[in-house]
Amino acid sequence: MSRIVIADDHAVVRTGIQLILEDIDELDLIGECETGDELIEFIKKEGVDLVLLDIRMPGSDTIQILQYIKKEHPGLPVIIFTMSDDKYHMVKMLQSGASAFLSKQSSPPEIVEVIRHVLSKKRYITSGQAAELADLLIDNPVDDRGPNSLTPREFQILTLIASGIDYKEIAFKLNLSKNTIGNHRSHILKKLGLKNNSDITRYAYQNGLIK
C-alpha cells in the first residue's frame, strides 16, 4: 500500500483528498499537514511514498520545500496542488523536482490517475499543460526577458522580494547570506530589464507571479 501525505492549509482540501482516497485500497492517506515545517517534520519521522503539496503554503516557500525533499529524499515524488494553471510557476516547480502539477478542480478519477502514474516513478503532464509549456518556450525563449529566463532560485527570490519580505528575512528563510541574496537580485534585475524592488513587485503582479 502506498503511503501518502498532503500539505495544504485548507481543511476542506485535505478532507476532500481523504474522501477520494479512502475507497482506493492501494492508497493510504497517512498524514495531513497545514504548514511546510509540519510536512518536513512528518517526512523525517514517517515512511512516505508520495507528497501532495499546495503551491502556496503559509510561512513557507514551496520551491524551498521541494528542494529540501529532492536533496534529502531524492526518490520521493511530489505532486503540486494549485487553484490555477500558472505556466511560469509550473515551469519552476517542474525544474525544482515536482512530478506533476495538478489543479484542485480536477475530478476525483483524474486525481487518482495522476497519483497512480506518479507512484510508478513517472512525471505526469497533461496535454493542455504540454501545450502551455510549448507556447511558453516558443514565445519566450530562455534568453528573453521573461520569468522563464530565471533560475528556480532567482524565481524564488523574485517572488519573496515582490511579497515585501526584506533581505534579512529572505536570507534566513533560504539559509543564504545577504550578499548572496543581493547577487541574485542583481541577476534578476539584469535579466528582466528592471531597476529596483518596486519594478520587481510591479513585474510580479503584472505577470501573475504573486497574488
Side-chain angles (χ1 to χ4, degrees), residues 55 80 82 84-86 89-90 93 100-103 124 129:
I55 194 170
I80 299 297
T82 177
S84 62
D85 287 331
D86 176 64
H89 277 95
M90 179 166 54
M93 295 301 167
F101 198 81
L102 183 61
S103 171
Y124 185 98
Q129 290 171 348

Side-chain angles (χ1 to χ4, degrees), residues 111-164:
I111 291 172
V112 172
E113 177 188 359
V114 174
I115 288 174
R116 284 172 169 161
H117 189 92
V118 169
L119 281 168
S120 69
K121 306 303 179 183
K122 299 177 183 177
R123 284 192 172 183
Y124 185 98
I125 299 177
T126 67
S127 58
Q129 290 171 348
E132 284 191 356
L133 291 174
D135 289 342
L136 181 63
L137 293 174
I138 292 170
D139 296 338
N140 298 281
V142 172
D143 61 352
D144 192 24
R145 289 182 175 179
N148 61 317
S149 67
L150 304 177
T151 67
R153 177 67 84 188
E154 290 166 352
F155 185 87
Q156 181 182 28
I157 291 172
L158 177 143
T159 58
L160 291 172
I161 291 174
S163 298

Side-chain angles (χ1 to χ4, degrees), residues 2 4 12 26 28 37 68 91-92 123 136 171 176 178:
S2 297
I4 299 170
V12 65
E26 79 273 20
D28 184 16
D37 290 340
Y68 165 81
V91 168
K92 299 310 171 187
R123 284 192 172 183
L136 181 63
L176 298 172
K178 289 177 66 176

